[in-house]
Amino acid sequence: MDVHPPAAKMLVALSEVLAGHNGTFEFKGGEEYPAYVNYVFMRGFNAMFGIALAPLAYLTCRLLRLPPAFAAMAALFVTFDNAITVISRFILLDAPLLAFTALALAMLAGFYRQHARPFSSSWWQWLFGMGVALGLVASAKWVGLFAVALAGAYTIYELWEMFCEPRLQLGAYAKHWAARMAALIVVPVGIYMFWFWIHFAVLTNYDASAAFMPMGFQARLKGSPLAQQPYEVTTGSAIRLQAPG
């Protein structure tokens, strides 16, 4: 059973579709790639996420007011980091995860730069950009929730500082809350659910891996043996008894 959300997996699947993969090779460890599997394209597709880390590192440092030389040094560190170089070449979920995490950090840094200009057009852009990035990173792997936690911690700190500001009117303070709830809760949750919607809309055929899903879900898949019997349990129905926990 795969415990990860579907966003990064769907992106890897997209690279397979674009590479012309017919879905017969299962990518098991230690096996050689058949001639019909264009793994070079798939690895190149994944590597693009790793390549994006360098400019995102530079952008984040500049948004944090570091000098251009220091920002360029940070980008070079990312470029020549051996672990990032290696993992970005693999057909795994980690490259999209790292890219979305870096994007979330860049959006957070950009939003921090706008704290003196609340509700300006750039303030709204960085805020909702951060919400989109958090939705993407949480939809890639659940470890991306650490990025969500970082943004949440900064948001709580910022709102607490506003609460302690006697000159801030209650209406404006409530508007700050509403804006952050819309951008940092509604938007990420919507993106997270959107990827699951795509996931279930595309994967409509039955496979042995669907055995981990609820019986009602399996019965609605094309080619499912459960679809050949009544949905309600009757005489001759195949059932599965499973203890909770």
Side-chain angles (χ1 to χ4, degrees):
M1 180 172 61
D2 198 339
V3 299
H4 300 301
K9 293 184 293 184
M10 298 297 288
L11 290 172
V12 172
L14 175 62
S15 72
E16 297 178 13
V17 172
L18 295 176
H21 180 44
N22 58 15
T24 57
F25 184 65
E26 298 183 359
F27 292 91
K28 293 182 179 180
E31 294 187 0
E32 293 187 5
Y33 290 112
Y36 62 84
V37 176
N38 188 0
Y39 66 90
V40 175
F41 178 87
M42 299 179 197
R43 285 188 168 185
F45 183 92
N46 240 31
M48 295 301 295
F49 293 100
I51 292 172
L53 293 175
L56 284 173
Y58 181 86
L59 173 63
T60 302
C61 292
R62 293 294 293 136
L63 290 170
L64 294 176
R65 304 182 189 278
L66 268 68
F70 286 5
M73 184 183 301
L76 286 175
F77 285 162
V78 171
T79 301
F80 294 103
D81 184 274
N82 187 58
I84 294 177
T85 303
V86 172
I87 202 168
S88 297
R89 295 169 46 193
F90 292 160
I91 308 172
L92 297 173
L93 312 182
D94 300 271
L97 171 68
L98 290 174
F100 295 150
T101 303
L103 178 63
L105 183 58
M107 294 296 109
L108 176 59
F111 180 66
Y112 169 76
R113 285 282 297 270
Q114 304 299 319
H115 69 278
R117 296 187 293 173
F119 307 118
S120 63
S121 59
S122 56
W123 185 89
W124 285 107
Q125 290 172 7
W126 286 109
L127 177 61
F128 276 89
M130 180 166 57
V132 171
L134 293 178
L136 291 173
V137 70
S139 301
K141 292 180 76 172
W142 278 352
V143 71
L145 293 176
F146 284 106
V148 178
L150 174 63
Y154 171 74
T155 301
I156 293 172
Y157 168 77
E158 193 178 36
L159 290 172
W160 176 254
E161 277 198 327
M162 294 179 192
F163 179 75
C164 298
E165 175 56 58
R167 293 174 297 178
L168 185 64
Q169 296 181 354
L170 181 60
Y173 185 60
K175 188 177 179 181
H176 276 283
W177 270 91
R180 285 161 176 79
M181 290 177 66
L184 304 181
I185 297 178
V186 176
V187 171
V189 170
I191 292 175
Y192 187 85
M193 296 177 65
F194 172 73
W195 281 106
F196 272 98
W197 177 78
I198 295 179
H199 184 65
F200 291 126
V202 173
L203 302 179
T204 58
N205 296 322
Y206 179 81
D207 184 78
S209 58
F212 293 99
M213 302 299 291
M215 302 294 283
F217 177 82
Q218 296 183 48
R220 290 172 173 81
L221 295 176
K222 298 177 182 178
S224 171
L226 300 178
Q228 303 173 6
Q229 64 183 31
Y231 180 71
E232 300 294 337
V233 177
T234 61
T235 303
S237 297
I239 65 172
R240 182 182 70 187
L241 298 178
Q242 182 173 342

